[in-house]
Amino acid sequence: MKQILLLSCAASALSGCAVTLAPHVPYLPMIRDRGQAEARLSTGFSGTELQAGYQVTDKLVVHTALLTYGRAQGSHKLRSADLGLGYYYNSPNGFWRLGMHGGLATGGGRSGSSGASFEGSEATPAVDYRVRYTYAYVQPTIHLMEDRQTWSFGLRVGRAYYHRFTQVGADTLGGPVNTVDYGGRQLSFLQAGFQYGYRLSPRVNLSTTFGAQAFIGNGGPVEVGMSSGLVGQVGVHFTLRELPKLRR
């Protein structure tokens, strides 16, 4: 029963379960040469995100991201920031790349399992969670590239540590407010993301990212879930230096 409940929570942010982890979408760069930089603004199931990357060398890329999930007046509101590095092997003709990313992200916020929240001393039969977490991840990637199109896949494995994980709830209307502290818990998760990109101009690309994500194992309260069981965003990439044409 616990496993079923956990999966149902992770399957959709619209369910009655709390959202206590909103991971960033895997970073899949569309830049590939030294000195190139890009910024990507995207939105979808996985929240609204700003990603940026800089190609330090032909093999090393530095990337960062800011994510917001949920609405200020809604039952879920989480924000996080991500910083990582990627190392790539480039094929001689430039048509494919193999890479490995690693990084750290930190975030937090609040989530209500029934849409209600606790303000002051007024209690309703609901549960709220207040969280603050840090997670580390590794992410192997593969890219297939043409002059105007790019197909990418990334598999991100992460481990989250909760600095704060507080459950506030009341069993009955007007009843006492109970607080449970789950701080110090750790949870592992897995994300699989596919990205398709299309170049509109030398400096502007459109992209769509889709896939799935879920917790691995059960290291925490069964009532919690991910932001969504689906990974889904559409975005626009802006390249700060023109992408070269691939050699045939």
Side-chain angles (χ1 to χ4, degrees):
M1 179 64 183
K2 292 183 177 180
Q3 288 78 5
I4 294 174
L5 180 56
L6 178 62
L7 292 173
S8 69
C9 293
S12 173
L14 299 179
S15 70
C17 297
V19 175
T20 56
L21 182 66
H24 292 258
V25 167
Y27 176 67
L28 299 168
M30 297 187 71
I31 53 177
R32 56 180 177 267
D33 289 335
R34 178 179 179 180
Q36 290 183 333
E38 70 173 349
R40 178 185 188 239
L41 181 62
S42 56
T43 189
F45 299 126
S46 306
T48 298
E49 188 166 15
L50 176 64
Q51 294 180 326
Y54 177 72
Q55 198 78 36
V56 181
T57 69
D58 288 344
K59 294 185 176 181
L60 183 66
V61 60
V62 179
H63 54 92
T64 186
L66 297 173
L67 171 72
T68 180
Y69 176 82
R71 302 185 306 275
Q73 302 303 319
S75 57
H76 312 301
K77 184 64 177 180
L78 294 96
R79 293 192 177 104
S80 63
D82 176 18
L83 180 64
L85 291 172
Y87 186 83
Y88 279 87
Y89 169 78
N90 302 312
S91 65
N93 61 10
F95 281 97
W96 57 270
R97 306 178 77 198
L98 295 176
M100 176 65 75
H101 290 255
L104 288 171
T106 183
R110 63 171 179 82
S111 180
S113 64
S114 66
S117 62
F118 291 85
E119 301 294 342
S121 60
E122 184 177 353
T124 60
V127 176
D128 269 7
Y129 290 89
R130 311 295 170 90
V131 296
R132 183 169 57 87
Y133 52 80
T134 298
Y135 67 82
Y137 62 86
V138 294
Q139 176 197 311
T141 64
I142 183 171
H143 302 265
L144 301 177
M145 298 179 169
E146 294 184 355
D147 284 341
R148 284 190 171 271
Q149 300 180 88
T150 303
W151 296 266
S152 306
F153 172 74
L155 183 66
R156 178 172 288 191
V157 181
R159 181 73 171 175
Y161 175 83
Y162 285 87
H163 307 279
R164 180 189 183 190
F165 197 146
T166 304
Q167 173 187 303
V168 181
D171 296 329
T172 60
L173 180 63
V177 176
N178 302 312
T179 301
V180 182
D181 184 10
Y182 295 108
R185 293 295 182 96
Q186 299 184 46
L187 293 170
S188 298
F189 65 92
L190 180 69
Q191 291 176 291
F194 298 87
Q195 178 178 282
Y196 170 75
Y198 184 81
R199 186 195 298 191
L200 294 179
S201 72
R203 296 183 183 275
V204 180
N205 298 267
L206 296 180
S207 69
T208 179
T209 304
F210 57 94
Q213 60 189 15
F215 286 124
I216 304 172
N218 184 10
V222 297
E223 295 87 357
V224 305
M226 304 262 297
S227 56
S228 174
L230 300 176
V231 174
Q233 286 184 344
V234 293
V236 180
H237 293 249
F238 299 96
T239 304
L240 303 185
R241 181 179 147 196
E242 183 175 337
L243 291 169
K245 290 187 176 181
L246 297 173
R247 299 184 300 273
R248 294 190 179 274

